[in-house]
Amino acid sequence: MTDAEIARRALPLLDLTDLSDACTAADITALCAAARASGVAAVCVWPQFVAQAARDLAGSGVRIATVVNFPAGGEDVAGTLRETRAALADGADEIDLVLPYPALRDGRPEAARAMVDAVRAMCAETCLKVILETGMLAPDLIRQASRLALAAGADMIKTSTGKTAISATPEAAEIMLEAIRDGGGRQGLKVSGGLRTVADAARYLDLADRMMGSGWARPDTFRIGASALRAALVAALEPTA
């Protein structure tokens, strides 16, 4: 597959993201303009920018995702529900929830499950992605976290917040895809953090094709969370002189 073919496949799967600490309203305006121009699946923004993104993207078909319980993965269910309620009221189409992965590491999966259950109940009609923070988990805990989130009704499981030293890895993605496949393949995967090149996108698309079948990776089952990647994909589509 050529770089242009990979780019045409990957762009509609992209969650164009700005979760930088210094993000401004002007940055969101630019992000939404880029999202419109490239026809990506969604933008992913801080909760305080959801209402602006909803205005900027009205009528575009680009979805608005935001993050809750982010990035630490705490256990404050009531606070996370307040965040979620406000984001939905502002126009969020998708909620990316950080799993209480420290609780999972401490041997308290029930605390992690309680968070996902509560947010799932509030997001009955909304896409829920559960961020596992795989860079902070050993392989057996990635497997446990994947199964827990999927059993609690996550529409997608997501590798990373992008705020830790290790973000998405093919090894973690493979474990997560195994859990999705074992559950029937109806739920999805989002790889996030550290993807910057066409080759990065190809690596994860190839993995999804190998494990789930060539027609499985669609916007409702497979997302790539990145900002730097968009420029590489757009450049791959530009005609050479």
Side-chain angles (χ1 to χ4, degrees):
M1 189 178 293
T2 67
D3 281 2
E5 289 170 331
I6 295 164
R8 278 192 290 271
R9 188 176 177 199
L11 269 173
L13 306 174
L14 199 64
D15 281 7
L16 199 57
T17 302
D18 193 336
L19 295 172
S20 61
D21 294 337
C23 183
T24 66
D27 294 327
I28 297 302
T29 297
L31 186 80
C32 291
R36 277 184 176 272
S38 297
V40 302
V43 297
C44 187
V45 300
W46 289 109
Q48 62 265 33
F49 294 117
V50 167
Q52 178 189 341
R55 292 191 299 270
D56 289 350
L57 290 169
S60 68
V62 178
R63 297 171 66 83
I64 297 102
T66 194
V67 291
V68 298
N69 203 33
F70 187 94
E75 299 176 42
D76 181 2
V77 173
T80 302
L81 290 177
R82 285 193 297 271
E83 287 182 306
T84 304
R85 186 179 298 109
L88 295 174
D90 283 345
D93 301 301
E94 303 178 355
I95 298 294
D96 289 22
L97 163 71
V98 182
L99 183 78
Y101 66 90
L104 199 65
R105 290 190 309 192
D106 291 345
R108 295 183 294 109
E110 66 282 353
R113 176 66 187 251
M115 176 68 78
V116 182
D117 282 341
V119 177
R120 173 75 279 174
M122 182 169 282
C123 296
E125 304 299 325
T126 304
C127 177
L128 175 62
K129 309 188 201 89
V130 177
I131 306 171
L132 308 186
E133 202 65 288
T134 55
M136 303 297 289
L137 299 176
D140 61 323
L141 286 180
I142 297 173
R143 187 171 292 105
Q144 182 182 2
S146 298
R147 292 174 176 169
L148 183 155
L150 294 168
D155 296 296
M156 289 189 174
I157 48 177
K158 176 177 170 180
T159 57
S160 324
T161 62
K163 300 292 185 180
T164 56
I166 300 173
S167 291
T169 66
E171 293 77 15
E174 182 164 353
I175 294 169
M176 295 164 76
L177 283 169
E178 285 175 353
I180 293 166
R181 184 182 62 195
D182 291 347
R186 294 177 301 277
Q187 292 151 294
L189 172 70
K190 178 175 174 178
V191 291
S192 182
L195 284 78
R196 294 182 173 83
T197 68
V198 175
D200 289 334
R203 184 174 301 113
Y204 288 99
L205 286 168
D206 288 345
L207 179 63
D209 288 347
R210 174 171 61 81
M211 296 189 65
M212 308 299 292
S214 59
W216 180 82
R218 309 177 306 273
D220 60 330
T221 55
F222 189 82
R223 298 283 184 87
I224 301 170
S227 290
L229 178 59
R230 174 186 171 271
L233 297 176
V234 170
L237 294 173
E238 294 174 351
T240 57

